[in-house]
Amino acid sequence: MKLLNFIIMVIFAFSFSAKALSQNIKMEYRCKKVVATGERGFYRFFDIKLTSDGFYGEVKFFSKRRNKYFIQTFTGATQSSGYFQINSRILLENRKSLTKQGFINFDKSSQKNVNITNYLQKGIKATQGARFCNLKLLPEKIKFIDKQKLKDDKARKIKKESVLKKQQQEAKLLQEQKLKDDKARKIKKESVLKTQKLIISVQKSLKKLDLFQGKITGKLDNRSLTAFDKWLKNNNYKQTRLIDDVIVLKLKKSAEAYLIQKKAVLETRRLEILKNKRNEINVKRLADAERKRKDDEAIKLIETKRKEMEIRLAAIKAKRDKQNQENALLLAEEERKSKEAKLAADKAEQTRKDEERRLAEAILKVEEAERKAEEDEVRRLKEAADIEKKQQEAKLENERKVKAEQNKKLFSKLETKGKSYIKDAQIFIQDNLTSPNMLPISMAALELKKALNSNNGIILNKAIKTFEKKMREFSDFYEYRKLLIEKRKQKQQDLAKQKAEAEARRLAEEAKIEAEAISKIKATFTSYKAKLVKLLSISLSVNSSVSEKLIPIIQQIDNGIKSNDKAKLESSLNNIKKLIKSNNEINKYINGEPKKIKKSKNIPKNIPKKTNVSLKIKETFFCVSSMNMKELLEITKMWASFNKISEQEDFYKTIAPPDTKCNFNKVDKIKKLENEKKVSTSKDGIVTYVNVGSKKMKNGKIANYVFFYRQVK
């Protein structure tokens, strides 16, 4: 029994030996700052698993310079020689080794088989590159570490806030300076525009004074200055280059006076020309009057001669009354000539008057034409000057717009790049406050910011090239920016992946919703069909009009069930609902299922009388089914009412029960009808007979059958 207890105790001791000898303790790894190279100091706290043979621990830390996380492992073990040796490695996050053996050199223990806890509590010195480090085991209760950490965090926070505040103050000063510069530029621009307007006004006035013959450009060129000096000299003003509102006003008044004077001179000249023309007309009129006077004298002389001739002829006539006819004819001839001379004189006078009138009208027309031509010439010259001026202005405006558009496109193209550079510089400065290149990078970023605020593409292009040239000199910023670009690309890829996944989920959800809606609509179709088929089987023997309205509804339901298009299904469902509502009996049955359907007046209550005749049969219809005779008779009548085989097949597929079979045959023979009953006679003389009965089928079941015979008279 004692031996058994001893064995159990040994097994228990061995099973828990590792747990009993190991414990978790905190350890500190601290490295000092290297003043010569500028490498920062750091410290790291981590948990280790301490055993009697050694220890193991690891810590995860973030490197701002490389912008990623790393893992540093610490192991300590007693060597075969008896000395205690510590090793450390730096791993990537995937636990691949980054450093080689001996990257960190720890001092070996000076004695063999040391007490590990006491040895680690004293601290082990090490070198990591140029840094001097110390690895030390901490007591279990180290509240001072947390206090020191809080103190360091607070100091870093205060330092960061001071740097941020300084940057904000610098940004504010830059903003104020920018506002001052903008205001100064605006005042300067307004001054330049005002001066240009005054110069344009001066050039226009000098042009009106006929002192300036150049183009109106708004600039004081040599021609403009020469004309301006000449005007000052002509008006006894002091020689000056100052152009202000007073000078411009005096020039305008002088130009207006000169134009009035010039207009008066032109008017005087025109009046003199008109006066000379009128004098010429008066001379012509006097000449015409003289000519008229001479004509009048000639006429009077002719008249006097005529009178003398008449007196002479009268004397001759008195003396020679019996003078021959020749003298009389001579006298008549003389009279005729006298009349012709008078008529010629009258015609000449009228011609002269008409000529004078035409001449006066021609002179007036010439004067009017000259005046209009002069006005047209002045207007044409003015319009030509205005057109030339507008063309020059349009050309200058077009060139300005083209340059502005090119500048705007260049600025839009480079704006994102400039902002990206500034943002990268800000992130680098925030993460690397102790970098020796912090100040030059800040100054270069400020210059680039000014170029962005100028909204000028040329200035921005020049600033970006200067910034890129400077940045190549700062290797730490260049490497840091590469990491930032890679990080942005990864972020964009992740965002695109998330969007694609969200879109796929949305499409899947929409497809699911649509499938559920289609399934719901088809379930409604199935429910409607079950009720409508049941109603059809009832109405066949009661009311054929209801059956006729049910068939197209059932056909439409079958067509709708075949479709998988949601829109078509919804449209078909709405149409079916309308058809159901349009018939009161069908609607009541679907919604409340009435107990009875009103019987149709068209169905005969009594079976037709038998016949015993021999007729020529053209068509036969035959149906056999297990349904009752009345229903079978009604469905056979309906099936036989269709003339096309396709319509009969559709009716058969839609209405006929599974155990109903129908056939149609066209015949041309004489058949003796004995037990058949006459059903109807149409207007065209087509007579239909029917024969009904029951027979035993091959499967042993009793089935009803119906024969229809159609005879044409």
Side-chain angles (χ1 to χ4, degrees):
M1 189 66 180
K2 288 181 179 182
L3 180 62
L4 182 62
N5 289 335
F6 176 77
I7 291 167
I8 291 169
M9 289 291 290
V10 169
I11 292 168
F12 183 83
F14 273 102
S15 62
F16 291 97
S17 61
K19 292 183 181 179
L21 293 173
S22 65
Q23 54 181 326
N24 292 331
I25 304 175
K26 280 195 176 291
M27 184 171 272
E28 177 193 39
Y29 179 65
R30 185 181 293 271
C31 291
K32 295 180 181 180
K33 179 180 178 182
V34 182
V35 179
T37 60
E39 294 182 48
R40 294 185 298 175
F42 63 87
Y43 57 89
R44 293 171 188 148
F45 296 99
F46 56 94
D47 292 329
I48 65 166
K49 193 170 186 181
L50 185 63
T51 64
S52 59
D53 296 330
F55 73 90
Y56 174 80
E58 63 179 42
V59 59
K60 189 176 182 180
F61 65 93
F62 181 77
S63 173
K64 290 184 179 179
R65 186 168 67 85
R66 297 194 179 184
N67 195 28
K68 61 169 65 175
Y69 283 96
F70 296 96
I71 299 169
Q72 186 172 5
T73 63
F74 297 90
T75 57
T78 303
Q79 303 296 318
S80 57
S81 60
Y83 294 102
F84 193 77
Q85 179 65 44
I86 299 173
N87 293 311
S88 178
R89 289 191 306 160
I90 295 178
L91 311 175
L92 296 171
E93 284 189 281
N94 58 6
R95 304 199 72 82
K96 287 185 180 180
S97 180
L98 184 66
T99 60
K100 296 181 180 179
Q101 191 72 22
F103 172 68
I104 302 173
N105 294 319
F106 288 92
D107 293 345
K108 287 185 180 180
S109 61
S110 58
Q111 297 178 359
K112 294 182 180 180
N113 301 321
V114 296
N115 187 310
I116 297 172
T117 304
N118 295 334
Y119 177 67
L120 292 175
Q121 283 178 351
K122 290 177 182 179
I124 297 90
K125 293 180 180 180
T127 57
Q128 182 176 335
R131 296 187 180 94
F132 292 100
C133 307
N134 186 35
L135 181 67
K136 188 177 181 181
L137 189 68
L138 299 176
E140 291 182 3
K141 297 181 180 180
I142 46 169
K143 293 184 179 178
F144 68 93
I145 292 174
D146 296 334
K147 289 181 181 180
Q148 183 64 29
K149 190 176 179 181
L150 290 171
K151 188 176 179 181
D152 293 342
D153 291 341
K154 189 174 181 182
R156 280 197 300 272
K157 188 176 180 182
I158 292 167
K159 187 177 180 181
K160 193 173 180 181
E161 287 176 353
S162 65
V163 171
L164 185 62
K165 190 173 181 182
K166 187 177 178 182
Q167 289 177 352
Q168 289 175 351
Q169 287 175 353
E170 288 176 355
K172 189 176 179 182
L173 289 171
L174 286 172
Q175 187 69 19
E176 290 175 356
Q177 185 63 34
K178 184 189 170 187
L179 291 172
K180 286 179 182 179
D181 293 343
D182 291 343
K183 190 173 181 181
R185 280 197 297 273
K186 189 176 180 182
I187 292 167
K188 187 177 179 181
K189 189 176 179 182
E190 289 175 354
S191 174
V192 169
L193 288 172
K194 186 177 179 183
T195 305
Q196 193 175 10
K197 286 180 181 179
L198 291 173
I199 292 169
I200 289 169
S201 181
V202 167
Q203 287 177 336
K204 286 181 179 180
S205 299
L206 290 171
K207 200 159 191 176
K208 288 178 182 177
L209 289 166
D210 295 334
L211 296 173
F212 176 67
Q213 301 301 326
K215 294 180 180 179
I216 296 170
T217 59
K219 296 179 181 179
L220 279 176
D221 50 9
N222 292 332
R223 285 185 177 182
S224 302
L225 290 171
T226 304
F228 183 63
D229 293 340
K230 192 174 180 181
W231 176 78
L232 291 171
K233 187 177 179 181
N234 292 341
N235 291 275
N236 297 324
Y237 291 131
K238 186 179 178 181
Q239 292 293 325
T240 181
R241 287 289 182 271
L242 178 64
I243 295 174
D244 54 8
D245 294 335
V246 177
I247 292 292
V248 171
L249 184 62
K250 287 180 180 180
L251 255 172
K252 281 184 179 179
K253 287 182 178 179
S254 179
E256 288 172 0
Y258 178 76
L259 287 174
I260 292 167
Q261 186 180 359
K262 187 177 179 181
K263 192 174 181 181
V265 169
L266 290 172
E267 185 66 22
T268 305
R269 192 178 300 168
R270 191 182 69 80
L271 290 172
E272 286 177 358
I273 293 167
L274 186 62
K275 188 177 180 181
N276 293 333
K277 287 182 179 179
R278 285 179 180 174
N279 289 336
E280 290 175 1
I281 291 167
N282 290 332
V283 169
K284 287 181 181 179
R285 284 177 181 174
L286 289 172
D288 292 339
E290 183 65 22
R291 189 172 63 253
K292 186 180 179 182
R293 185 183 62 76
K294 288 179 180 180
D295 292 341
D296 290 342
E297 288 177 355
I299 291 167
K300 285 180 181 180
L301 182 62
I302 291 168
E303 186 68 24
T304 304
K305 286 181 179 180
R306 187 184 62 77
K307 286 180 180 179
E308 289 176 354
M309 184 64 70
E310 285 177 354
I311 293 168
R312 194 182 298 123
L313 288 171
I316 292 168
K317 189 179 181 181
K319 290 179 180 179
R320 297 178 180 180
D321 294 329
K322 295 181 180 181
Q323 206 171 19
N324 57 17
Q325 189 67 27
E326 292 179 1
N327 290 334
L329 291 171
L330 182 62
L331 182 60
E333 184 67 21
E334 287 292 334
E335 286 180 355
R336 186 183 62 78
K337 287 181 178 180
S338 176
K339 286 180 181 179
E340 286 179 355
K342 188 178 179 181
L343 287 171
D346 292 340
K347 189 175 181 180
E349 179 66 19
Q350 185 64 34
T351 303
R352 186 185 59 77
K353 287 181 179 179
D354 292 341
E355 191 65 28
E356 287 179 356
R357 181 175 54 77
R358 283 197 298 271
L359 183 61
E361 289 177 354
I363 291 167
L364 289 173
K365 285 180 180 179
V366 168
E367 290 176 352
E368 183 67 22
E370 287 177 353
R371 185 181 62 78
K372 284 185 178 180
E374 187 178 351
E375 290 178 354
D376 290 342
E377 183 65 19
V378 172
R379 186 167 59 255
R380 188 185 65 77
L381 291 171
K382 187 178 179 182
E383 288 176 354
D386 291 341
I387 289 168
E388 186 179 358
K389 179 185 173 183
K390 286 179 181 177
Q391 287 176 349
Q392 290 293 333
E393 290 176 352
K395 186 177 179 182
L396 291 170
E397 182 65 19
N398 191 29
E399 289 176 357
R400 186 189 64 77
K401 284 182 178 178
V402 169
K403 288 180 181 178
E405 186 66 25
Q406 290 175 352
N407 195 357
K408 187 177 179 181
K409 286 181 180 178
L410 182 60
F411 183 81
S412 300
K413 184 179 178 182
L414 298 173
E415 185 180 10
T416 306
K417 191 175 182 181
K419 288 182 178 178
S420 174
Y421 278 146
I422 292 170
K423 188 176 180 181
D424 292 346
Q426 287 177 340
I427 295 169
F428 176 78
I429 292 166
Q430 289 174 2
D431 292 344
N432 300 274
L433 296 173
T434 59
S435 174
N437 299 322
M438 188 269 290
L439 191 59
I441 291 170
S442 300
M443 292 172 69
L446 287 174
E447 291 296 327
L448 188 56
K449 182 69 175 176
K450 286 181 182 178
L452 275 170
N453 293 333
S454 68
N455 292 330
N456 191 312
I458 298 169
I459 295 171
L460 181 58
N461 189 21
K462 188 176 179 182
I464 286 174
K465 287 181 180 178
T466 306
F467 184 84
E468 289 175 345
K469 186 177 179 182
K470 288 181 180 179
M471 290 307 103
R472 290 191 190 96
E473 299 172 1
F474 308 132
S475 59
D476 53 350
F477 176 73
Y478 193 73
E479 294 296 328
Y480 186 80
R481 190 168 182 277
K482 277 187 179 178
L483 293 172
L484 285 177
I485 291 169
E486 290 176 1
K487 193 173 180 181
R488 286 195 195 102
K489 285 182 181 177
Q490 185 63 36
K491 190 174 180 181
Q492 289 175 356
Q493 290 173 359
D494 293 343
L495 185 62
K497 187 177 179 182
Q498 289 175 3
K499 284 183 179 179
E501 290 175 353
E503 182 67 16
R505 285 196 299 272
R506 184 183 67 78
L507 292 173
E509 188 66 26
E510 288 178 357
K512 184 180 177 182
I513 292 167
E514 186 173 355
E516 289 176 354
I518 290 169
S519 177
K520 189 176 179 182
I521 293 169
K522 287 189 176 182
T524 306
F525 278 157
T526 306
S527 175
Y528 277 171
K529 184 177 179 182
K531 290 183 179 181
L532 291 172
V533 169
K534 186 176 180 182
L535 178 61
L536 178 63
S537 65
I538 296 169
S539 64
L540 285 172
S541 60
V542 181
N543 192 337
S544 61
S545 63
V546 174
S547 302
E548 289 173 358
K549 290 181 180 178
L550 283 169
I551 290 167
I553 299 173
I554 295 169
Q555 287 175 341
Q556 194 166 350
I557 288 173
D558 286 339
N559 293 332
I561 290 171
K562 294 174 184 176
S563 176
N564 287 320
D565 190 343
K566 184 183 174 184
K568 288 183 180 178
L569 286 170
E570 289 176 347
S571 176
S572 180
L573 182 62
N574 291 330
N575 291 335
I576 289 165
K577 286 181 178 179
K578 286 180 182 178
L579 290 172
I580 290 170
K581 287 182 180 179
S582 64
N583 189 287
N584 193 28
E585 291 183 359
I586 297 173
N587 189 27
K588 284 181 179 179
Y589 185 84
I590 291 297
N591 294 322
E593 295 194 5
K595 294 178 180 179
K596 292 182 180 180
I597 297 176
K598 293 181 181 179
K599 289 186 177 181
S600 173
K601 296 178 181 179
N602 298 326
I603 298 175
K605 293 181 181 179
N606 300 321
I607 298 172
K609 294 180 179 180
K610 294 183 179 181
T611 185
N612 189 5
V613 293
S614 294
L615 298 173
K616 190 174 183 179
I617 303 302
K618 294 289 185 182
E619 296 172 348
T620 63
F621 301 94
F622 171 74
C623 282
V624 60
S625 176
S626 61
M627 66 173 63
N628 63 59
M629 184 59 71
K630 286 185 179 180
E631 292 177 355
L632 182 61
L633 184 65
E634 195 66 34
I635 197 170
T636 310
K637 279 184 181 181
M638 292 174 68
W639 185 82
S641 65
F642 294 106
N643 293 324
K644 293 182 180 179
I645 295 175
S646 60
E647 293 176 351
Q648 293 172 349
E649 288 176 352
D650 291 340
F651 175 80
Y652 181 80
K653 291 175 183 178
T654 306
I655 300 301
D659 59 350
T660 301
K661 303 292 180 183
C662 294
N663 289 315
F664 166 77
N665 293 304
K666 284 195 174 185
V667 296
D668 190 2
K669 65 179 181 177
I670 302 297
K671 181 174 175 62
K672 186 177 182 180
L673 304 179
E674 296 178 352
N675 297 320
E676 288 75 8
K677 295 135 182 113
K678 187 176 180 181
V679 177
S680 64
T681 303
S682 68
K683 292 180 180 180
D684 299 332
I686 297 172
V687 183
T688 303
Y689 295 87
V690 66
N691 185 11
V692 297
S694 301
K695 65 179 181 177
K696 192 173 183 180
M697 306 300 287
K698 291 180 180 180
N699 57 8
K701 293 183 179 180
I702 301 297
N704 295 320
Y705 65 87
V706 176
F707 266 109
F708 276 93
Y709 301 96
R710 190 171 288 174
Q711 177 261 337
V712 180
K713 286 187 178 181

